[in-house]
């Protein structure tokens, strides 16, 4: 039997991270149902401080996901502590060798930072960090 999975990423600002990664990957931020959220607050199952208005929409404060058809969902979840050490898991953004430099430039303009270049045999990559300092590679 096989199982589905999602990737969960800790974040200081899950909504900003979801926006950034959705743009970086060409994915979409998963919609949240504002009427359902209001209903949960009205019925006492949630409180106002568990919500946030982001880009004019009522959302759950704790997290938001991005998605793309046929790919695992990526959830960004609120955590109180800042990132302090290297990631144990990271994204490899596969754009094709002919597109790496343009993508590095585009992502840098959107708030990513260059870290270093790597190569193993014929394979090369550029390691970068997203706006919260999470490492990822462009290959």
């Amino acid at each position: 039997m096989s199982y589905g999975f999602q990737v969960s990423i800790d974040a200081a600002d899950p909504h900003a991270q979801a926006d950034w990664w959705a743009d970086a990957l060409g994915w979409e931020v998963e919609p949240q149902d504002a009427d359902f959220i209001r209903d949960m607050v009205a019925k006492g199952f949630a409180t106002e401080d568990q919500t946030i208005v982001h880009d004019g929409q009522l959302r759950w404060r704790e997290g938001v996901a991005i998605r793309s058809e046929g790919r695992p969902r990526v959830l960004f979840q609120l955590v109180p502590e800042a990132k302090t050490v290297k990631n144990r898991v990271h994204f490899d953004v596969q754009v094709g060798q002919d597109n790496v430099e343009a993508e590095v430039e585009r992502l840098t303009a959107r708030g990513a930072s260059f870290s270093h270049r790597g190569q193993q045999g014929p394979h090369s990559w550029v390691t970068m960090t997203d706006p919260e300092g999470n490492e990822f590679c462009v290959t």
Side-chain angles (χ1 to χ4, degrees), residues 8-131:
S8 298
I9 308 293
D10 292 349
D13 185 343
H15 298 277
Q17 282 291 91
D19 290 345
W20 193 88
W21 276 103
D23 178 68
L25 297 173
W27 291 19
E28 69 173 341
V29 174
E30 196 172 85
Q32 294 184 2
D33 185 341
D35 291 335
F36 174 77
I37 295 170
R38 279 190 280 283
D39 189 49
M40 291 296 98
V41 171
K43 291 178 177 174
F45 293 113
T47 61
E48 290 286 338
D49 65 338
Q50 293 174 313
T51 68
I52 188 172
V53 175
H54 179 77
D55 286 341
Q57 297 182 10
L58 183 65
R59 297 184 154 272
W60 293 114
R61 178 180 303 277
E62 293 288 322
V64 62
I66 63 173
R67 65 184 181 191
S68 180
E69 185 68 32
R71 294 187 164 91
R73 179 178 190 252
V74 178
L75 173 70
F76 296 89
Q77 59 187 12
L78 182 65
V79 295
E81 67 278 352
K83 180 186 174 300
T84 57
V85 297
K86 185 182 181 310
N87 301 16
R88 295 294 298 239
V89 174
H90 68 269
F91 293 128
D92 284 344
V93 181
Q94 300 170 326
V95 300
Q97 287 301 311
D98 293 341
N99 302 313
V100 168
E101 295 309 318
E103 193 63 13
V104 166
E105 189 174 309
R106 183 181 80 84
L107 294 172
T108 300
R110 295 272 302 127
S113 298
F114 172 84
S115 178
H116 62 274
R117 293 178 184 276
Q119 184 167 348
Q120 183 175 33
H123 305 288
S124 64
W125 61 90
V126 176
T127 301
M128 303 183 75
T129 57
D130 72 15

